[in-house]
Amino acid sequence: MNSNANPQVRGGCARRGGARVSSVSVDTTAPGAYTIGECARRSGFSMDTLRYYERLGLIDDVARTPTGQRRFSDEHLEWLGVLKCLRDTGMPVEQMCRFADLARSGDHTIGERIALLEDHRVAVDERMADLVAKRDYLLGKIDYYRSVLP
Amino acid sequence: MNSNANPQVRGGCARRGGARVSSVSVDTTAPGAYTIGECARRSGFSMDTLRYYERLGLIDDVARTPTGQRRFSDEHLEWLGVLKCLRDTGMPVEQMCRFADLARSGDHTIGERIALLEDHRVAVDERMADLVAKRDYLLGKIDYYRSVLP
DNA sequence: GTTTGCGTTGGAGTTCACTCCAGGTCCTAC
DNA sequence: GTAGGACCTGGAGTGAACTCCAACGCAAAC
């Protein structure tokens, strides 16, 4: 169901990667033009979450068909991969928004973006270290229980 | 609970560091008899969380002074250490309750407790593996940004 | 060409795990 | 004996991150 493998996805919405196809139907196989359902399937976010993120400004420039349906591009999927990484490593949405803002603001924010990601990496490392310690404790507990099994 | 194993907790709570004084005051150094505030300080949970956990049945048999104040014991602190480990490794409260129930129900539940902890350990391992992968992705992102720094 | 289903919106509701509050009692120190 | 702090209760409130809903339009498939 890579979506609309058909002659007219309904207008284009063309989006960026847009194929350099000739005539009518454009983004059939072209990179991009994923419906929200397809995008959800591919990104691992739910459709609701995608809409929610768009409202928050975490996702930008989502194209629309003439009838108002969203069409996500491969760039979006890539960006969603970044968001997923950040979210799944525990970054709060608010900080993701800051990052998205920076990403939107041009190359002069790259330094800030690095700083933000570095800070986050440090936090992740700490969480991982803590997790390792707690996991060991857990193993100890399990071993103990094994040792007293009837 | 061993708690009030004394003539009168009253003066007590005196906390441990306290000298191993002779006469009267008993549970000065005695294991146990921590006020909720002290217990919070030592366990890393907030007082509210301790009360909340007690309501849920996650903490059991908390002794009370004649006027109704809680007195936690060293056993409680140890148990709270377990809860902290479980919580901080992401176990939902409901599952902790199941574990607490098992722990309350006698030795014949040890097998089940092991199973529960093992399941949780597996979940923790998966989360850790995911975290490692995401952290690497993050590092890649940071490196990329470094490479394009103006 | 109609049914089935995917997509739209704004806003309300949910879940989780606390956290706070009011209005009170109690305790320690000065 | 009184001020200030610690603690009590039941219940309400919070914040984060979604998730669901109704009422609708458009799409895809037969």
PDB file of all heavy atoms in Angstrom, chain C residues 15-28:
ATOM      1  P    DT C  15      -8.786   5.672  30.847  1.00  0.00           P
ATOM      2  OP1  DT C  15      -9.181   4.345  30.314  1.00  0.00           O
ATOM      3  OP2  DT C  15      -9.430   6.227  32.071  1.00  0.00           O
ATOM      4  O5'  DT C  15      -7.217   5.676  31.074  1.00  0.00           O
ATOM      5  C5'  DT C  15      -6.361   5.721  29.952  1.00  0.00           C
ATOM      6  C4'  DT C  15      -4.957   5.910  30.437  1.00  0.00           C
ATOM      7  O4'  DT C  15      -4.617   7.315  30.420  1.00  0.00           O
ATOM      8  C3'  DT C  15      -4.689   5.407  31.857  1.00  0.00           C
ATOM      9  O3'  DT C  15      -3.550   4.573  31.773  1.00  0.00           O
ATOM     10  C2'  DT C  15      -4.455   6.687  32.661  1.00  0.00           C
ATOM     11  C1'  DT C  15      -3.932   7.648  31.613  1.00  0.00           C
ATOM     12  N1   DT C  15      -4.183   9.092  31.810  1.00  0.00           N
ATOM     13  C2   DT C  15      -3.198   9.973  31.419  1.00  0.00           C
ATOM     14  O2   DT C  15      -2.130   9.616  30.958  1.00  0.00           O
ATOM     15  N3   DT C  15      -3.506  11.295  31.589  1.00  0.00           N
ATOM     16  C4   DT C  15      -4.675  11.811  32.106  1.00  0.00           C
ATOM     17  O4   DT C  15      -4.824  13.021  32.195  1.00  0.00           O
ATOM     18  C5   DT C  15      -5.663  10.835  32.491  1.00  0.00           C
ATOM     19  C7   DT C  15      -6.956  11.307  33.059  1.00  0.00           C
ATOM     20  C6   DT C  15      -5.373   9.544  32.330  1.00  0.00           C
ATOM     21  P    DC C  16      -3.159   3.587  32.962  1.00  0.00           P
ATOM     22  OP1  DC C  16      -2.805   2.288  32.366  1.00  0.00           O
ATOM     23  OP2  DC C  16      -4.188   3.710  34.021  1.00  0.00           O
ATOM     24  O5'  DC C  16      -1.813   4.239  33.500  1.00  0.00           O
ATOM     25  C5'  DC C  16      -0.858   4.770  32.586  1.00  0.00           C
ATOM     26  C4'  DC C  16      -0.009   5.750  33.325  1.00  0.00           C
ATOM     27  O4'  DC C  16      -0.663   7.031  33.373  1.00  0.00           O
ATOM     28  C3'  DC C  16       0.269   5.370  34.783  1.00  0.00           C
ATOM     29  O3'  DC C  16       1.661   5.099  34.873  1.00  0.00           O
ATOM     30  C2'  DC C  16      -0.183   6.589  35.596  1.00  0.00           C
ATOM     31  C1'  DC C  16      -0.273   7.689  34.545  1.00  0.00           C
ATOM     32  N1   DC C  16      -1.277   8.760  34.755  1.00  0.00           N
ATOM     33  C2   DC C  16      -0.906  10.086  34.526  1.00  0.00           C
ATOM     34  O2   DC C  16       0.257  10.333  34.191  1.00  0.00           O
ATOM     35  N3   DC C  16      -1.825  11.070  34.687  1.00  0.00           N
ATOM     36  C4   DC C  16      -3.068  10.764  35.047  1.00  0.00           C
ATOM     37  N4   DC C  16      -3.941  11.768  35.184  1.00  0.00           N
ATOM     38  C5   DC C  16      -3.481   9.417  35.286  1.00  0.00           C
ATOM     39  C6   DC C  16      -2.555   8.443  35.121  1.00  0.00           C
ATOM     40  P    DA C  17       2.250   4.350  36.115  1.00  0.00           P
ATOM     41  OP1  DA C  17       3.500   3.687  35.697  1.00  0.00           O
ATOM     42  OP2  DA C  17       1.183   3.601  36.797  1.00  0.00           O
ATOM     43  O5'  DA C  17       2.658   5.593  37.017  1.00  0.00           O
ATOM     44  C5'  DA C  17       3.542   6.556  36.472  1.00  0.00           C
ATOM     45  C4'  DA C  17       3.577   7.748  37.370  1.00  0.00           C
ATOM     46  O4'  DA C  17       2.356   8.496  37.233  1.00  0.00           O
ATOM     47  C3'  DA C  17       3.681   7.386  38.875  1.00  0.00           C
ATOM     48  O3'  DA C  17       4.631   8.229  39.488  1.00  0.00           O
ATOM     49  C2'  DA C  17       2.268   7.679  39.386  1.00  0.00           C
ATOM     50  C1'  DA C  17       1.921   8.863  38.509  1.00  0.00           C
ATOM     51  N9   DA C  17       0.499   9.232  38.465  1.00  0.00           N
ATOM     52  C8   DA C  17      -0.591   8.426  38.630  1.00  0.00           C
ATOM     53  N7   DA C  17      -1.740   9.066  38.573  1.00  0.00           N
ATOM     54  C5   DA C  17      -1.381  10.378  38.347  1.00  0.00           C
ATOM     55  C6   DA C  17      -2.131  11.555  38.191  1.00  0.00           C
ATOM     56  N6   DA C  17      -3.458  11.605  38.247  1.00  0.00           N
ATOM     57  N1   DA C  17      -1.445  12.704  37.969  1.00  0.00           N
ATOM     58  C2   DA C  17      -0.105  12.662  37.916  1.00  0.00           C
ATOM     59  N3   DA C  17       0.710  11.617  38.048  1.00  0.00           N
ATOM     60  C4   DA C  17      -0.002  10.490  38.264  1.00  0.00           C
ATOM     61  P    DC C  18       5.402   7.734  40.766  1.00  0.00           P
ATOM     62  OP1  DC C  18       6.648   8.530  40.824  1.00  0.00           O
ATOM     63  OP2  DC C  18       5.431   6.280  40.751  1.00  0.00           O
ATOM     64  O5'  DC C  18       4.500   8.114  41.994  1.00  0.00           O
ATOM     65  C5'  DC C  18       4.205   9.351  42.578  1.00  0.00           C
ATOM     66  C4'  DC C  18       3.977  10.487  41.639  1.00  0.00           C
ATOM     67  O4'  DC C  18       2.625  10.403  41.167  1.00  0.00           O
ATOM     68  C3'  DC C  18       4.139  11.823  42.311  1.00  0.00           C
ATOM     69  O3'  DC C  18       4.941  12.665  41.526  1.00  0.00           O
ATOM     70  C2'  DC C  18       2.738  12.362  42.443  1.00  0.00           C
ATOM     71  C1'  DC C  18       2.012  11.669  41.283  1.00  0.00           C
ATOM     72  N1   DC C  18       0.553  11.469  41.507  1.00  0.00           N
ATOM     73  C2   DC C  18      -0.339  12.509  41.241  1.00  0.00           C
ATOM     74  O2   DC C  18       0.106  13.586  40.842  1.00  0.00           O
ATOM     75  N3   DC C  18      -1.663  12.316  41.440  1.00  0.00           N
ATOM     76  C4   DC C  18      -2.108  11.143  41.864  1.00  0.00           C
ATOM     77  N4   DC C  18      -3.420  10.995  42.035  1.00  0.00           N
ATOM     78  C5   DC C  18      -1.221  10.059  42.148  1.00  0.00           C
ATOM     79  C6   DC C  18       0.084  10.260  41.957  1.00  0.00           C
ATOM     80  P    DT C  19       5.804  13.803  42.259  1.00  0.00           P
ATOM     81  OP1  DT C  19       6.642  14.438  41.205  1.00  0.00           O
ATOM     82  OP2  DT C  19       6.406  13.218  43.466  1.00  0.00           O
ATOM     83  O5'  DT C  19       4.700  14.865  42.733  1.00  0.00           O
ATOM     84  C5'  DT C  19       4.159  15.779  41.797  1.00  0.00           C
ATOM     85  C4'  DT C  19       3.098  16.616  42.457  1.00  0.00           C
ATOM     86  O4'  DT C  19       1.910  15.844  42.703  1.00  0.00           O
ATOM     87  C3'  DT C  19       3.498  17.231  43.800  1.00  0.00           C
ATOM     88  O3'  DT C  19       3.471  18.632  43.604  1.00  0.00           O
ATOM     89  C2'  DT C  19       2.433  16.717  44.784  1.00  0.00           C
ATOM     90  C1'  DT C  19       1.285  16.363  43.855  1.00  0.00           C
ATOM     91  N1   DT C  19       0.327  15.308  44.274  1.00  0.00           N
ATOM     92  C2   DT C  19      -1.019  15.584  44.235  1.00  0.00           C
ATOM     93  O2   DT C  19      -1.456  16.668  43.924  1.00  0.00           O
ATOM     94  N3   DT C  19      -1.832  14.534  44.596  1.00  0.00           N
ATOM     95  C4   DT C  19      -1.440  13.266  44.972  1.00  0.00           C
ATOM     96  O4   DT C  19      -2.272  12.416  45.254  1.00  0.00           O
ATOM     97  C5   DT C  19      -0.012  13.044  44.996  1.00  0.00           C
ATOM     98  C7   DT C  19       0.521  11.704  45.395  1.00  0.00           C
ATOM     99  C6   DT C  19       0.797  14.060  44.655  1.00  0.00           C
ATOM    100  P    DC C  20       3.814  19.670  44.713  1.00  0.00           P
ATOM    101  OP1  DC C  20       4.549  20.775  44.083  1.00  0.00           O
ATOM    102  OP2  DC C  20       4.380  18.929  45.865  1.00  0.00           O
ATOM    103  O5'  DC C  20       2.358  20.201  45.103  1.00  0.00           O
ATOM    104  C5'  DC C  20       1.420  20.433  44.045  1.00  0.00           C
ATOM    105  C4'  DC C  20       0.070  20.766  44.632  1.00  0.00           C
ATOM    106  O4'  DC C  20      -0.621  19.543  44.958  1.00  0.00           O
ATOM    107  C3'  DC C  20       0.126  21.608  45.900  1.00  0.00           C
ATOM    108  O3'  DC C  20      -0.742  22.720  45.710  1.00  0.00           O
ATOM    109  C2'  DC C  20      -0.352  20.660  46.992  1.00  0.00           C
ATOM    110  C1'  DC C  20      -1.238  19.684  46.224  1.00  0.00           C
ATOM    111  N1   DC C  20      -1.359  18.311  46.766  1.00  0.00           N
ATOM    112  C2   DC C  20      -2.628  17.734  46.910  1.00  0.00           C
ATOM    113  O2   DC C  20      -3.632  18.393  46.610  1.00  0.00           O
ATOM    114  N3   DC C  20      -2.732  16.466  47.385  1.00  0.00           N
ATOM    115  C4   DC C  20      -1.636  15.788  47.692  1.00  0.00           C
ATOM    116  N4   DC C  20      -1.790  14.536  48.150  1.00  0.00           N
ATOM    117  C5   DC C  20      -0.330  16.347  47.554  1.00  0.00           C
ATOM    118  C6   DC C  20      -0.232  17.600  47.087  1.00  0.00           C
ATOM    119  P    DC C  21      -0.763  23.915  46.713  1.00  0.00           P
ATOM    120  OP1  DC C  21      -0.913  25.148  45.933  1.00  0.00           O
ATOM    121  OP2  DC C  21       0.369  23.741  47.664  1.00  0.00           O
ATOM    122  O5'  DC C  21      -2.126  23.653  47.498  1.00  0.00           O
ATOM    123  C5'  DC C  21      -3.304  23.370  46.749  1.00  0.00           C
ATOM    124  C4'  DC C  21      -4.430  23.049  47.703  1.00  0.00           C
ATOM    125  O4'  DC C  21      -4.400  21.635  48.002  1.00  0.00           O
ATOM    126  C3'  DC C  21      -4.323  23.795  49.037  1.00  0.00           C
ATOM    127  O3'  DC C  21      -5.466  24.622  49.208  1.00  0.00           O
ATOM    128  C2'  DC C  21      -4.232  22.695  50.082  1.00  0.00           C
ATOM    129  C1'  DC C  21      -4.734  21.452  49.352  1.00  0.00           C
ATOM    130  N1   DC C  21      -4.091  20.179  49.768  1.00  0.00           N
ATOM    131  C2   DC C  21      -4.898  19.102  50.132  1.00  0.00           C
ATOM    132  O2   DC C  21      -6.123  19.232  50.100  1.00  0.00           O
ATOM    133  N3   DC C  21      -4.310  17.943  50.503  1.00  0.00           N
ATOM    134  C4   DC C  21      -2.970  17.849  50.515  1.00  0.00           C
ATOM    135  N4   DC C  21      -2.435  16.682  50.882  1.00  0.00           N
ATOM    136  C5   DC C  21      -2.137  18.931  50.153  1.00  0.00           C
ATOM    137  C6   DC C  21      -2.732  20.076  49.792  1.00  0.00           C
ATOM    138  P    DA C  22      -5.451  25.771  50.261  1.00  0.00           P
ATOM    139  OP1  DA C  22      -5.782  27.025  49.557  1.00  0.00           O
ATOM    140  OP2  DA C  22      -4.242  25.684  51.095  1.00  0.00           O
ATOM    141  O5'  DA C  22      -6.701  25.342  51.151  1.00  0.00           O
ATOM    142  C5'  DA C  22      -7.751  24.568  50.552  1.00  0.00           C
ATOM    143  C4'  DA C  22      -8.560  23.902  51.643  1.00  0.00           C
ATOM    144  O4'  DA C  22      -7.971  22.624  51.983  1.00  0.00           O
ATOM    145  C3'  DA C  22      -8.623  24.695  52.952  1.00  0.00           C
ATOM    146  O3'  DA C  22      -9.884  24.455  53.552  1.00  0.00           O
ATOM    147  C2'  DA C  22      -7.479  24.086  53.761  1.00  0.00           C
ATOM    148  C1'  DA C  22      -7.565  22.628  53.343  1.00  0.00           C
ATOM    149  N9   DA C  22      -6.303  21.888  53.393  1.00  0.00           N
ATOM    150  C8   DA C  22      -5.032  22.351  53.202  1.00  0.00           C
ATOM    151  N7   DA C  22      -4.100  21.428  53.298  1.00  0.00           N
ATOM    152  C5   DA C  22      -4.809  20.272  53.568  1.00  0.00           C
ATOM    153  C6   DA C  22      -4.417  18.940  53.782  1.00  0.00           C
ATOM    154  N6   DA C  22      -3.157  18.538  53.745  1.00  0.00           N
ATOM    155  N1   DA C  22      -5.388  18.038  54.026  1.00  0.00           N
ATOM    156  C2   DA C  22      -6.666  18.441  54.057  1.00  0.00           C
ATOM    157  N3   DA C  22      -7.163  19.663  53.867  1.00  0.00           N
ATOM    158  C4   DA C  22      -6.175  20.540  53.628  1.00  0.00           C
ATOM    159  P    DG C  23     -10.391  25.490  54.657  1.00  0.00           P
ATOM    160  OP1  DG C  23     -11.654  26.054  54.156  1.00  0.00           O
ATOM    161  OP2  DG C  23      -9.255  26.356  55.048  1.00  0.00           O
ATOM    162  O5'  DG C  23     -10.719  24.531  55.885  1.00  0.00           O
ATOM    163  C5'  DG C  23     -10.971  23.123  55.676  1.00  0.00           C
ATOM    164  C4'  DG C  23     -10.476  22.361  56.880  1.00  0.00           C
ATOM    165  O4'  DG C  23      -9.161  21.801  56.600  1.00  0.00           O
ATOM    166  C3'  DG C  23     -10.298  23.232  58.135  1.00  0.00           C
ATOM    167  O3'  DG C  23     -10.761  22.477  59.247  1.00  0.00           O
ATOM    168  C2'  DG C  23      -8.791  23.455  58.185  1.00  0.00           C
ATOM    169  C1'  DG C  23      -8.322  22.088  57.713  1.00  0.00           C
ATOM    170  N9   DG C  23      -6.930  21.984  57.306  1.00  0.00           N
ATOM    171  C8   DG C  23      -6.064  22.971  56.886  1.00  0.00           C
ATOM    172  N7   DG C  23      -4.855  22.519  56.623  1.00  0.00           N
ATOM    173  C5   DG C  23      -4.935  21.155  56.889  1.00  0.00           C
ATOM    174  C6   DG C  23      -3.947  20.137  56.792  1.00  0.00           C
ATOM    175  O6   DG C  23      -2.774  20.229  56.441  1.00  0.00           O
ATOM    176  N1   DG C  23      -4.454  18.898  57.155  1.00  0.00           N
ATOM    177  C2   DG C  23      -5.745  18.662  57.561  1.00  0.00           C
ATOM    178  N2   DG C  23      -6.041  17.405  57.874  1.00  0.00           N
ATOM    179  N3   DG C  23      -6.670  19.605  57.652  1.00  0.00           N
ATOM    180  C4   DG C  23      -6.204  20.822  57.302  1.00  0.00           C
ATOM    181  P    DG C  24     -10.955  23.209  60.662  1.00  0.00           P
ATOM    182  OP1  DG C  24     -12.331  22.907  61.069  1.00  0.00           O
ATOM    183  OP2  DG C  24     -10.471  24.598  60.633  1.00  0.00           O
ATOM    184  O5'  DG C  24      -9.957  22.384  61.590  1.00  0.00           O
ATOM    185  C5'  DG C  24     -10.256  21.029  61.808  1.00  0.00           C
ATOM    186  C4'  DG C  24      -9.010  20.201  61.892  1.00  0.00           C
ATOM    187  O4'  DG C  24      -8.029  20.584  60.908  1.00  0.00           O
ATOM    188  C3'  DG C  24      -8.214  20.307  63.181  1.00  0.00           C
ATOM    189  O3'  DG C  24      -8.782  19.468  64.177  1.00  0.00           O
ATOM    190  C2'  DG C  24      -6.860  19.756  62.771  1.00  0.00           C
ATOM    191  C1'  DG C  24      -6.855  19.866  61.252  1.00  0.00           C
ATOM    192  N9   DG C  24      -5.675  20.532  60.761  1.00  0.00           N
ATOM    193  C8   DG C  24      -5.544  21.838  60.380  1.00  0.00           C
ATOM    194  N7   DG C  24      -4.341  22.134  59.949  1.00  0.00           N
ATOM    195  C5   DG C  24      -3.640  20.936  60.073  1.00  0.00           C
ATOM    196  C6   DG C  24      -2.284  20.618  59.768  1.00  0.00           C
ATOM    197  O6   DG C  24      -1.411  21.366  59.330  1.00  0.00           O
ATOM    198  N1   DG C  24      -1.999  19.300  60.041  1.00  0.00           N
ATOM    199  C2   DG C  24      -2.891  18.381  60.531  1.00  0.00           C
ATOM    200  N2   DG C  24      -2.419  17.156  60.722  1.00  0.00           N
ATOM    201  N3   DG C  24      -4.147  18.649  60.797  1.00  0.00           N
ATOM    202  C4   DG C  24      -4.454  19.945  60.556  1.00  0.00           C
ATOM    203  P    DT C  25      -8.211  19.662  65.627  1.00  0.00           P
ATOM    204  OP1  DT C  25      -9.239  19.078  66.503  1.00  0.00           O
ATOM    205  OP2  DT C  25      -7.725  21.048  65.811  1.00  0.00           O
ATOM    206  O5'  DT C  25      -6.945  18.695  65.633  1.00  0.00           O
ATOM    207  C5'  DT C  25      -7.111  17.307  65.349  1.00  0.00           C
ATOM    208  C4'  DT C  25      -5.743  16.645  65.424  1.00  0.00           C
ATOM    209  O4'  DT C  25      -4.848  17.303  64.500  1.00  0.00           O
ATOM    210  C3'  DT C  25      -5.093  16.716  66.802  1.00  0.00           C
ATOM    211  O3'  DT C  25      -4.569  15.429  67.097  1.00  0.00           O
ATOM    212  C2'  DT C  25      -3.985  17.734  66.624  1.00  0.00           C
ATOM    213  C1'  DT C  25      -3.618  17.538  65.149  1.00  0.00           C
ATOM    214  N1   DT C  25      -2.976  18.697  64.483  1.00  0.00           N
ATOM    215  C2   DT C  25      -1.699  18.581  64.011  1.00  0.00           C
ATOM    216  O2   DT C  25      -1.032  17.570  64.117  1.00  0.00           O
ATOM    217  N3   DT C  25      -1.195  19.708  63.406  1.00  0.00           N
ATOM    218  C4   DT C  25      -1.844  20.910  63.232  1.00  0.00           C
ATOM    219  O4   DT C  25      -1.294  21.848  62.666  1.00  0.00           O
ATOM    220  C5   DT C  25      -3.193  20.969  63.747  1.00  0.00           C
ATOM    221  C7   DT C  25      -3.985  22.224  63.612  1.00  0.00           C
ATOM    222  C6   DT C  25      -3.693  19.881  64.343  1.00  0.00           C
ATOM    223  P    DC C  26      -4.071  15.150  68.539  1.00  0.00           P
ATOM    224  OP1  DC C  26      -4.382  13.725  68.784  1.00  0.00           O
ATOM    225  OP2  DC C  26      -4.512  16.213  69.467  1.00  0.00           O
ATOM    226  O5'  DC C  26      -2.491  15.284  68.331  1.00  0.00           O
ATOM    227  C5'  DC C  26      -1.872  14.603  67.243  1.00  0.00           C
ATOM    228  C4'  DC C  26      -0.411  14.987  67.172  1.00  0.00           C
ATOM    229  O4'  DC C  26      -0.281  16.283  66.546  1.00  0.00           O
ATOM    230  C3'  DC C  26       0.311  15.092  68.524  1.00  0.00           C
ATOM    231  O3'  DC C  26       1.532  14.403  68.396  1.00  0.00           O
ATOM    232  C2'  DC C  26       0.530  16.598  68.690  1.00  0.00           C
ATOM    233  C1'  DC C  26       0.702  17.019  67.232  1.00  0.00           C
ATOM    234  N1   DC C  26       0.447  18.442  66.902  1.00  0.00           N
ATOM    235  C2   DC C  26       1.414  19.154  66.152  1.00  0.00           C
ATOM    236  O2   DC C  26       2.459  18.578  65.820  1.00  0.00           O
ATOM    237  N3   DC C  26       1.171  20.454  65.826  1.00  0.00           N
ATOM    238  C4   DC C  26       0.031  21.028  66.195  1.00  0.00           C
ATOM    239  N4   DC C  26      -0.151  22.298  65.841  1.00  0.00           N
ATOM    240  C5   DC C  26      -0.955  20.334  66.946  1.00  0.00           C
ATOM    241  C6   DC C  26      -0.710  19.043  67.272  1.00  0.00           C
ATOM    242  P    DC C  27       2.360  13.940  69.659  1.00  0.00           P
ATOM    243  OP1  DC C  27       2.146  12.516  69.897  1.00  0.00           O
ATOM    244  OP2  DC C  27       2.112  14.911  70.746  1.00  0.00           O
ATOM    245  O5'  DC C  27       3.849  14.134  69.094  1.00  0.00           O
ATOM    246  C5'  DC C  27       4.057  14.813  67.881  1.00  0.00           C
ATOM    247  C4'  DC C  27       5.305  15.669  67.928  1.00  0.00           C
ATOM    248  O4'  DC C  27       4.953  17.056  67.670  1.00  0.00           O
ATOM    249  C3'  DC C  27       6.084  15.681  69.240  1.00  0.00           C
ATOM    250  O3'  DC C  27       7.449  15.649  68.883  1.00  0.00           O
ATOM    251  C2'  DC C  27       5.671  16.999  69.896  1.00  0.00           C
ATOM    252  C1'  DC C  27       5.480  17.884  68.668  1.00  0.00           C
ATOM    253  N1   DC C  27       4.503  19.008  68.782  1.00  0.00           N
ATOM    254  C2   DC C  27       4.821  20.232  68.154  1.00  0.00           C
ATOM    255  O2   DC C  27       5.900  20.345  67.567  1.00  0.00           O
ATOM    256  N3   DC C  27       3.930  21.251  68.214  1.00  0.00           N
ATOM    257  C4   DC C  27       2.775  21.097  68.858  1.00  0.00           C
ATOM    258  N4   DC C  27       1.923  22.129  68.876  1.00  0.00           N
ATOM    259  C5   DC C  27       2.429  19.865  69.511  1.00  0.00           C
ATOM    260  C6   DC C  27       3.324  18.859  69.446  1.00  0.00           C
ATOM    261  P    DT C  28       8.616  15.405  69.930  1.00  0.00           P
ATOM    262  OP1  DT C  28       9.473  14.302  69.480  1.00  0.00           O
ATOM    263  OP2  DT C  28       7.995  15.387  71.296  1.00  0.00           O
ATOM    264  O5'  DT C  28       9.432  16.755  69.769  1.00  0.00           O
ATOM    265  C5'  DT C  28       9.799  17.220  68.469  1.00  0.00           C
ATOM    266  C4'  DT C  28      10.491  18.568  68.610  1.00  0.00           C
ATOM    267  O4'  DT C  28       9.512  19.631  68.662  1.00  0.00           O
ATOM    268  C3'  DT C  28      11.353  18.693  69.861  1.00  0.00           C
ATOM    269  O3'  DT C  28      12.633  19.173  69.457  1.00  0.00           O
ATOM    270  C2'  DT C  28      10.581  19.652  70.764  1.00  0.00           C
ATOM    271  C1'  DT C  28       9.767  20.469  69.760  1.00  0.00           C
ATOM    272  N1   DT C  28       8.415  20.935  70.215  1.00  0.00           N
ATOM    273  C2   DT C  28       7.963  22.154  69.771  1.00  0.00           C
ATOM    274  O2   DT C  28       8.594  22.879  69.055  1.00  0.00           O
ATOM    275  N3   DT C  28       6.703  22.484  70.217  1.00  0.00           N
ATOM    276  C4   DT C  28       5.880  21.739  71.047  1.00  0.00           C
ATOM    277  O4   DT C  28       4.769  22.147  71.368  1.00  0.00           O
ATOM    278  C5   DT C  28       6.431  20.466  71.470  1.00  0.00           C
ATOM    279  C7   DT C  28       5.628  19.577  72.369  1.00  0.00           C
ATOM    280  C6   DT C  28       7.663  20.124  71.044  1.00  0.00           C
TER     281       DT C  28
END
